[in-house]
Amino acid sequence: MEFIRISEIKNLFEQKKINDEFQIKCWVKSNRDSGKIGFINAFDGSNIDGIQIVYKEKLTKGFEQAKAVRTGSAISVKGHINQNEKSPTKYEIVANEIFISKQADEDYPLQKKQHSLEFLREIAHLRPRTHTFQAIMRVRNYAHKAIHSFFQKNGFIWVSTPILTSNDCEGAGENFFISENNENHFFTPQAKLTVSGQLNAECFAQAFGRVYTFGPTFRADRSHTNRHLAEFWMVEPEIAFMNLDQLMTLIEIFIKTIVQDIAENCNDEINFFALGKKEIKDRLSNLIKTKFFKIEYEHAIKLLMEAIKDGHNFEDKDIFFGKDLASEHERFICEQIYKAPVFLYNFPKQIKAFYMKLNDDNKTVAAVDLLVPGVGEIVGGSQREDNYEKLLNRIKELKIDSSSIEWYVNLRKYGYESSSGFGLGFERLIMYILGIDNIRDTIPFPRYQGKLLF
């Protein structure tokens, strides 16, 4: 059975049937009345630019209605396409008939003027109607598709890991607890919102070999930086029989494939953002073509110390082995020293999670972060500790309550050889591709401390 629908603006451009009559339904971005002729800038969500609709006194039925239609209103238009090289889309609709389906109130907040991104966050229910968020959400949609496609083509199984959990995967204590207002608790132990699907994904990796999870995660992080959200989406593949070096190869192939796929298929959206930031296209092109560098954490510390001696003015100049590097340090390494994406690996164990494999030096773990110009850390991963006793000792060192993850530790008793995986912050990927400054503008309804609107 065919899905029946009226014409879409995108399809009109693709078909280019000049003078053929059709009908579209759309929303008004602006309306300019010039006496006997008027121009409506309209969109229906099928493309980024929308289309210009021309209405004329002696040609268009509903001409007086068209003159009165307000920004934000829904309209129905019958007409034909006309070629117009002056239009951004090179085509326009000449209306034979315009009917107001639903007139918007006069206080519609999105008028024909520049609105700040901060203002648009306060009206997140309407910001998808702006040019900017049409572009962002289209890229977000395609990126979602591209990620699933990559894993499916490479033999991964998608696993829907739990959102409700009893464990704290990262051990940082940044959990949202599920509150209950009665003594008869629904869950025992108390439920939390997941900070990662990794531990559960490891179970399935030990059965299917290659798996991934892609879903919402939650951190009760009180940070108000431009890179943090309380609710965000994570891409987390997990692969059995893989070591750290092989993991870095996978990450590089994955990131390059996804970025290239988006660059090729979201050209209009990237061009729109490149109007304000011309470096975006070069940055994406360089990432696809450039071999990623690999440096150990200890060497990165030495490079930062040398930079301070040479007069570089970091906000945080307290650099030492064991420091959890800030974004300014990460960006300096990949933007100023290497001018390319950089894998930073073999981190001090005290700044990484309990499940990461302890190296032979007994002071570092087989962990890796991918640093990219413009954002800093975008991927974090590791080889997992496969030794039962070492994992148990690490849990005791960190004073982690092992009762909720006993099942996870016990995996090591049942044929667990080696396993590796990584986590990609989906919103940070969108930031990187489009050069967006604040992560709150990469997600439909941002959640962060103090804000739970919509």
Side-chain angles (χ1 to χ4, degrees):
M1 183 181 294
E2 185 178 355
F3 174 53
I4 301 172
R5 60 186 176 189
I6 58 174
S7 298
E8 290 182 332
I9 292 171
K10 178 183 177 181
N11 293 337
L12 297 179
F13 292 152
E14 292 172 350
Q15 294 164 5
K16 296 183 177 65
K17 292 184 178 179
I18 307 298
N19 295 325
D20 281 8
E21 187 176 71
F22 54 83
Q23 179 182 10
I24 65 166
K25 293 190 175 183
C26 51
W27 296 276
V28 175
K29 275 193 174 180
S30 65
N31 185 12
R32 178 165 56 92
D33 169 25
S34 300
K36 295 184 178 181
I37 189 172
F39 304 90
I40 293 173
N41 183 5
F43 70 101
D44 67 355
S46 65
N47 71 331
I48 184 173
D49 289 314
I51 198 166
Q52 177 175 273
I53 300 168
V54 182
Y55 58 94
K56 301 178 181 180
E57 184 178 32
K58 294 183 178 180
L59 176 67
T60 306
K61 183 180 178 181
F63 177 77
E64 293 300 325
Q65 271 202 38
K67 290 174 65 175
V69 70
R70 292 193 284 265
T71 299
S73 300
I75 59 174
S76 176
V77 181
K78 289 182 180 178
H80 61 275
I81 277 194
N82 180 50
Q83 199 156 2
N84 181 354
E85 291 299 321
K86 294 181 180 179
S87 168
T89 58
K90 308 302 180 187
Y91 295 93
E92 63 188 9
I93 295 174
V94 178
N96 299 331
E97 180 180 346
I98 293 180
F99 171 75
I100 301 177
S101 304
K102 183 66 176 180
Q103 181 79 291
D105 289 359
E106 291 182 3
D107 62 352
Y108 180 68
L110 290 175
Q111 296 300 317
K112 191 179 180 181
K113 63 178 182 178
Q114 191 72 26
H115 296 290
S116 72
L117 294 174
E118 291 81 2
F119 169 74
L120 293 177
R121 286 176 212 142
E122 300 299 317
I123 54 167
H125 58 309
L126 295 174
R127 69 178 184 169
R129 302 188 188 190
T130 65
H131 213 144
T132 298
F133 283 90
Q134 287 272 312
I136 292 171
M137 292 303 132
R138 287 185 176 285
V139 171
R140 185 182 172 99
N141 172 70
Y142 193 86
H144 192 275
K145 173 186 175 183
I147 288 167
H148 278 292
S149 178
F150 174 87
F151 288 124
Q152 294 295 325
K153 286 179 180 177
N154 285 283
F156 285 72
I157 297 292
W158 174 66
V159 179
S160 52
T161 52
I163 290 175
L164 292 177
T165 184
S166 61
N167 66 65
D168 176 7
C169 176
E170 297 300 316
E174 297 170 345
N175 297 97
F176 286 107
F177 288 85
I178 306 300
S179 177
E180 298 179 57
N181 295 320
N182 57 67
E183 295 180 0
N184 298 318
H185 294 297
F186 195 89
F187 291 109
T188 303
Q190 187 176 10
K192 311 166 188 174
L193 296 178
T194 186
V195 299
S196 169
Q198 177 207 313
L199 304 190
N200 300 95
E202 282 188 54
C203 301
F204 278 77
Q206 294 300 311
F208 290 94
R210 301 178 182 186
V211 302
Y212 72 104
T213 180
F214 187 1
T217 50
F218 308 85
R219 303 275 171 93
D221 188 343
R222 296 181 183 274
S223 174
H224 282 270
T225 75
N226 66 339
R227 303 194 308 161
H228 289 86
L229 288 168
E231 178 186 329
F232 55 98
W233 283 63
M234 285 280 284
V235 182
E236 297 179 289
E238 190 71 29
I239 312 95
F241 312 118
M242 177 172 279
N243 62 31
L244 187 68
D245 194 57
Q246 293 168 326
L247 181 68
M248 286 190 269
T249 299
L250 172 64
I251 294 171
E252 182 168 350
I253 293 170
F254 169 73
I255 291 293
K256 286 183 174 180
T257 302
I258 298 305
V259 169
Q260 183 168 10
D261 195 357
I262 294 169
E264 290 175 354
N265 289 280
C266 299
N267 193 53
D268 290 344
E269 290 77 10
I270 290 171
N271 284 340
F272 171 73
F273 275 91
L275 292 173
K277 293 188 176 182
K278 295 180 181 179
E279 71 276 11
I280 290 173
K281 287 187 173 182
D282 287 340
R283 194 170 69 190
L284 297 181
S285 177
N286 290 338
L287 178 136
I288 294 165
K289 296 175 183 176
T290 305
K291 178 70 178 174
F292 292 6
F293 286 89
K294 297 178 182 179
I295 64 168
E296 290 195 84
Y297 168 91
E298 189 169 14
H299 182 59
I301 291 296
K302 292 176 181 177
L303 292 174
L304 293 171
M305 288 178 171
E306 289 172 7
I308 291 172
K309 286 181 182 178
D310 293 339
H312 189 82
N313 190 27
F314 291 114
E315 286 186 20
D316 182 357
K317 298 179 182 178
D318 187 21
I319 304 297
F320 56 91
F321 185 89
K323 183 179 184 64
D324 197 357
L325 300 182
S327 177
E328 61 171 337
H329 306 130
E330 296 170 343
R331 293 186 62 175
F332 180 82
I333 291 167
C334 61
E335 293 174 11
Q336 301 298 319
I337 298 179
Y338 291 95
K339 297 179 174 59
V342 174
F343 284 118
L344 205 59
Y345 69 100
N346 287 347
F347 284 79
K349 65 180 183 180
Q350 64 265 32
I351 62 172
K352 288 298 183 179
F354 73 93
Y355 51 76
M356 298 184 177
K357 184 172 180 61
L358 192 65
N359 290 325
D360 291 338
D361 60 14
N362 207 37
K363 68 174 185 178
T364 63
V365 290
V368 61
D369 285 351
L370 175 61
L371 316 180
V372 293
V375 175
E377 187 242 319
I378 195 172
V379 172
S382 74
Q383 185 173 339
R384 318 309 189 189
E385 183 56 74
D386 55 277
N387 184 286
Y388 176 83
E389 294 297 335
K390 287 183 179 180
L391 182 60
L392 208 56
N393 289 337
R394 186 78 180 119
I395 289 170
K396 290 176 182 177
E397 279 179 23
L398 296 172
K399 295 180 171 59
I400 296 172
D401 179 10
S402 61
S403 61
S404 65
I405 54 170
E406 184 178 4
W407 57 271
Y408 174 75
V409 179
N410 284 346
L411 280 175
R412 277 73 186 161
K413 297 165 64 177
Y414 308 126
Y416 189 114
E417 184 205 348
S418 60
S419 186
S420 295
F422 67 84
L424 165 70
F426 186 54
E427 284 74 23
R428 289 192 185 184
L429 176 67
I430 305 302
M431 284 181 75
Y432 176 77
I433 291 171
L434 295 179
I436 295 170
D437 294 323
N438 198 310
I439 198 168
R440 297 171 187 176
D441 300 319
T442 64
I443 194 166
F445 298 100
R447 273 81 172 92
Y448 49 98
Q449 188 186 7
K451 291 290 183 180
L452 192 63
L453 300 174
F454 313 103

